[in-house]
Amino acid sequence: MQSESKLAGDLQESSGLLSQPKAVWAVAFACVISFMGLGLVDPILPAIAEQLHASKSQVSLLFTSYNLVTGIAMLITGVVSSRLGVKWTLLSGMVLTIIFAGLGGASHTIGQIVGFRAGWGLGNALFIATALSAIVGFSKSGTAKAIILYEAALGLGISVGPLLGGELGSISWRGPFYGVSALMIIGFIFILFVLPKTPKPKKTSSIADPFRALGYPALLTLAIVAFLYNFGFFTLMAYSPYVMKLDEHGLGYVFFGWGIMLAITSVLVAPKLQKRFSLVSSISWMLTLFAVDLAVMAVGTINHSPTTVIIAVIVAGIFLGINNTLITTAVMQAAPVERATASASYSFVRFLGGALSPWLAGKLSEWSTAQSPFWFGAFMVMLGVIVLIIRRRHLDHINRNAGH
């Protein structure tokens, strides 16, 4: 289609990225706040484990319940948004996040926090699946530029989140939960008054649509690759705080640096790589370098060198920022389905990886050695590279659109 053929060209150009309607900026602002919630809890993971007398694998269930519910709920986001419309779906997701983040802060046991994080995941699913399609839909400067803006909001939110989480967490581990709730109230007001009322889609979605979309080999390939590399991603997010030997402030600064690298590369570097190299080559190299980086974290853990792990975590933001933009852009043109449906299908599969990997990382450290989660994460990321290379023919149409 014509819009698809323009996609790679849009990605290659940087001009016009900031020329967006107010509706796009409204959603992007809310995205920053939403994604702050992901990294806000990172600096307090060791504190929660210590103060609530929980193991690493138990604390990691904060990510598992959140990602599991987010992934499953992705299957209904299209059904909900096609009936409520974009604006009210976004607002519904934000209300759920406000409520469950606040309840998480009021919890007294690890089980309660895990349960409330699951409710938070439902709100997250309704918001992020709709937010991506909303930014793309409202944008007047092309799909790929809108995706770059979305990824920049993701990176900014993920980077600022740990910084704020470290400050609030140094007061109490409950602080970041209440912080997310308060910030999301601000985002809710912003969306409520700035985002224009949008018409409901003429065609309502079915819960079967995301499953049908996975029947397209290109979309299925990208989803499997994301499922596998999420084992590395959430090993970094959920397990690395335990081996860096830092307090809440220190962890906040490390993940702030990681997020800044992610945000900068997703906006400035990814378009240049897309212009110069093929999609498969670019993603394969970024994931391979990320796997090597995880291996460095393992070696740093073996040598009892927190500094090595800290540097490797920050550097990982470079590879993940580039990869996130490339793979999200590819998903939007992988199959002839609605963007929201493609996003829901892809996110359903990848978040299942994000649900299993944090718990498994904690368990591996208990069953084996402190470095074993990093080795396993590196192995799974490389398995994703192998899958991508073996199935690269299914992505030929995306490379053709890119002029490769």
Side-chain angles (χ1 to χ4, degrees):
M1 293 189 300
Q2 183 179 2
S3 59
E4 290 181 350
S5 65
K6 291 172 59 184
L7 183 61
D10 287 338
L11 186 57
Q12 295 167 14
E13 298 294 334
S14 60
S15 60
L17 177 63
L18 302 180
S19 302
Q20 305 288 355
K22 284 194 299 184
V24 171
W25 290 114
V27 180
F29 174 77
C31 281
V32 172
I33 296 175
S34 177
F35 289 122
M36 285 175 70
L38 181 62
L40 210 66
V41 299
D42 266 318
I44 59 171
L45 294 179
I48 291 177
E50 180 181 354
Q51 295 180 33
L52 296 183
H53 309 290
S55 67
K56 295 173 186 175
S57 59
Q58 287 176 320
V59 175
S60 71
L61 291 175
L62 270 71
F63 286 95
T64 293
S65 63
Y66 179 84
N67 287 330
L68 180 62
V69 173
T70 296
I72 294 173
M74 283 292 175
L75 299 173
I76 65 167
T77 54
V79 175
V80 174
S81 63
S82 66
R83 288 162 175 79
L84 294 182
V86 170
K87 181 173 182 176
W88 291 106
T89 302
L90 288 172
L91 292 174
S92 299
M94 297 174 85
V95 166
L96 288 172
T97 300
I98 291 166
I99 293 171
F100 285 106
L103 289 173
S107 299
H108 297 285
T109 67
I110 191 68
Q112 289 176 344
I113 301 175
V114 170
F116 291 134
R117 280 280 285 182
W120 186 346
L122 175 58
N124 179 63
L126 291 173
F127 180 84
I128 64 173
T130 311
L132 176 56
S133 59
I135 287 179
V136 172
F138 284 122
S139 176
K140 303 298 183 183
S141 57
T143 299
K145 289 176 185 174
I147 290 172
I148 292 172
L149 184 62
Y150 174 82
E151 293 294 341
L154 184 152
L156 183 60
I158 286 180
S159 61
V160 175
L163 197 62
L164 183 60
E167 295 300 319
L168 295 175
S170 64
I171 301 172
S172 167
W173 67 262
R174 302 178 189 274
F177 289 91
Y178 291 135
V180 169
S181 188
L183 287 169
M184 195 55 84
I185 290 174
I186 298 172
F188 178 90
I189 295 171
F190 204 65
I191 291 290
L192 182 64
F193 291 105
V194 176
L195 196 70
K197 185 177 180 180
T198 55
K200 297 178 183 178
K202 295 179 181 178
K203 180 183 177 182
T204 56
S205 297
S206 162
I207 196 171
D209 289 346
F211 291 107
R212 293 195 192 101
L214 289 173
Y216 291 97
L219 187 59
L220 180 61
T221 298
L222 294 169
I224 293 172
V225 171
F227 171 85
L228 293 169
Y229 90 72
N230 259 0
F231 279 83
F233 182 91
F234 280 99
T235 295
L236 183 152
M237 291 288 289
Y239 180 71
S240 67
Y242 295 104
V243 298
M244 286 189 275
K245 309 299 182 184
L246 297 173
D247 61 11
E248 292 86 351
H249 285 289
L251 289 172
Y253 288 126
V254 170
F255 280 101
F256 173 70
W258 170 78
I260 287 294
M261 291 295 100
L262 189 148
I264 291 173
T265 55
S266 66
V267 175
L268 300 180
V269 182
K272 291 181 172 59
L273 281 179
Q274 175 73 4
K275 180 178 180 180
R276 186 167 182 178
F277 302 104
S278 72
L279 177 81
V280 172
S281 296
S282 299
I283 295 177
S284 296
W285 273 109
M286 289 306 105
L287 292 183
T288 299
L289 290 171
F290 178 44
V292 171
D293 199 51
L294 287 166
V296 171
M297 294 181 205
V299 173
T301 304
I302 293 172
N303 295 331
H304 304 287
S305 174
T307 301
T308 300
V309 179
I310 289 168
I311 295 172
V313 166
I314 295 173
V315 170
I318 297 172
F319 312 131
L320 291 170
I322 296 170
N323 180 74
N324 284 352
T325 295
L326 294 175
I327 203 166
T328 303
T329 305
V331 166
M332 291 295 100
Q333 59 171 327
V337 297
E338 294 289 332
R339 294 188 185 100
T341 301
S343 177
S345 301
Y346 164 76
S347 296
F348 164 66
V349 176
R350 74 183 174 105
F351 273 112
L352 293 182
L356 181 59
S357 54
W359 174 82
L360 188 57
K363 277 299 182 185
L364 284 173
S365 70
E366 295 166 12
W367 293 335
S368 183
T369 60
Q371 65 269 17
S372 59
F374 295 120
W375 289 124
F376 182 74
F379 169 76
M380 295 298 279
V381 172
M382 285 308 301
L383 190 58
V385 174
I386 293 171
V387 169
L388 182 63
I389 293 173
I390 290 175
R391 294 175 60 89
R392 63 185 180 277
R393 68 185 185 280
H394 297 303
L395 304 174
D396 283 347
H397 67 287
I398 302 176
N399 282 332
R400 283 196 299 271
N401 286 340
H404 297 293

